[in-house]
Amino acid sequence: MSKPGGAEGRAHPGPKRFLSGVVEGFYGRPWTMEQRTELFKREQKWGLNAYLYAPKDDYKHRMYWRDLYSAEEAGQLTALISAAKQHDVEFIYAISPGLDITFSNPKEAAALKRKLDQVKRFGCRSFSLLFDDIETEMCPADKQAFSSFAHAQVAITNAVYQHLGDPETFLFCPTDYCAAFCTPSVSQSSYLHTVGEELLPGIDVLWTGPKVVSHKISVESIEEVSSVLKRAPVIWDNIHANDYDPQRIFLGPFKDRPTELIPKLGGVLTNPNCEFYPNFVAIHTLATWCKAGAEGAQRDVEMGDEEQDPCYSPQRALTRALADWLQEFLSTDQPGGPRRPPARLQKESSGEEPMQTDAGEASYAPGPGENPLYTAEPLTLDDLKLLSDLFHLPYEHGPTARTMLQELDWLKTHSRAAAAQTDETAEWRSRAQQFDGMCEAVVQMFNRLSNAPNRSILYDLYNYICDIKSGVGLARAYVKTLGGQSGPSAQPMNEDPEPWGFRGGLSGEFQRMLPCHGNRDLFRHPPSTAVYSIRQYCTEDKLEVQRIFMEMQSAAESLMTQPPLLCDGLSAGETSPSPHCALVLEDEIGVCGYALALTDAKPAAAKIQRAVSESVFKDFPSLVTVQVLPRVTDPSPAKRMIGRLLSSIRSSGSRGVFCELRQSDRRMQDFYAKLGSFKVLQPAGLPGDICAMGASL
């Protein structure tokens, strides 16, 4: 198959419009046709303009992509595409053939074109080819036809794009769709460079940011990938996606993406929660962000906004979205459903709703001494703010949720003050009472949500709010037990508990048995950073690397009398690392680790007059050193860092690497050993207090 170059395509005149909207791209039950039509109405109302049809579990989108749609399916899609047009929403049909396509087989290309031609007859004019979440190993036939996986994907994408007549909107999702997937880095990714150079210029590229679910997306990161792709990417944003965790839903605002990004992007499409109705906040706040970044937008920030974005305040956008969402909650979505309650005498809820009567039937009036009529308390904006705090975003809880965790941690840590009179006893009792009040607010929120007239929203949320109500109830009972209270409500566990006292099923038991259980919690004691970034070392990092080196040296014993390691010169800044062979690890505090290498270790050995066997240099010509501060308790960032470094060394032509460690440094010996590729070496002439480990590349 030929490999058309990027210069052969026909670019569309004038700038493309900025795509803003929703991608239905999650794993799980797809939305209904009625829900999608409702989505188009919301997009039009809020100023969004695009919808990418890509439900992973639509058989004919992904698994059975070759199959044409039946007459019934064709009618549904035609109506859906027409509804999108009626609401000024661009319907983009995506197909995902990467699970089993043979790129070099002309019949496969013909099947792909035939399928998209059918969708084009439905009225669709915008398309997308997705190669995400697939195996990267090509079949033997494709290996003979193409020099790389990227060349295979680009060839068929260009052919399909030209077959469809160079549509104005055509999106390509690469297999390496985020920085974390790029080897060894975005700027050095041969895969992305092939895409940038060979993909026709009229085709846009989807990108999720630094990670699959990106905490933050910076202007610098987008500029970097744009230079490689030779075009501005379209962000497929997974910040509100929840298909990877059935116990989480995200009701916080679109944030941590500066509005400065907008002129540097081709668009932003949010891939939100699997549940349709709770996506009100995600889509509403995305629309606010898009409008805020438009030229001439007024400043919309409050003092103390974390993002310091002159045009967009996530907290203010969230409040507006929740206020609008409240109106939907209070409107019935079913004929004969519960109406907005009148202001009557309130009564404690038993959790049951009264039977609805026909409109013409006379209202029941209780007599003297009878129970007053039950009336559900109406849902409030404060309830929805609390709901958003409890189910906020993947990398952060909302303010109220953080406070509850902090208070529970304090009460647990200082529980002795509850059992015996100490200087802290009064404070403990006061804070326990405040915590109980916060738990009660969650219960009341649950009750009011359960009685909201709009049942469709409730049913999408019910499992989540039931789970958090039960979890809060267990914490509440535990604190009461610490405070010496007895009774059923204060007994979270006993010898024969009800099943709601032990949560999580088999999955929960597996997790509790694992040694790493809890080390990914957003709130941990002691608090530690949950997010790390790996980037290329630059000259400005020299002092930070030296500081870490000296800090770790001072923690060791009597190093002044011991011979130096070959890598000490690298860490101390006396020897510069080889090009593209130096990385640093950062957390929210700053640089917390590094990985440095010399592709040729002989000069380092000569510098300290160390005799090293030629057999070592033959099999392991390169030298590496890795160090991380003790505050990095999660080993995975350091493993990713050394993985990227080894990939760069391999690209330089080296056949192997080795490192030197102190015999007393069990921490780093264990680290290298657990990588699996490093083995203990026993070269002649090695000082007694030094050990060596090597890995073939």
Side-chain angles (χ1 to χ4, degrees), residues 8 326 509:
E8 297 176 11
L326 179 62
E509 293 200 38

Side-chain angles (χ1 to χ4, degrees), residues 476-487:
R476 191 181 192 181
Y478 173 69
V479 171
K480 288 184 177 181
T481 302
L482 292 178
Q485 297 185 34
S486 58

Side-chain angles (χ1 to χ4, degrees), residues 18 106 109 184 199 276 300 312 529 533 591 605 636 660 690:
F18 184 85
L199 198 67
F276 175 76
D300 184 30
Y312 176 73
T529 302
S533 63
V591 176
S636 57
E660 287 190 346
I690 295 176

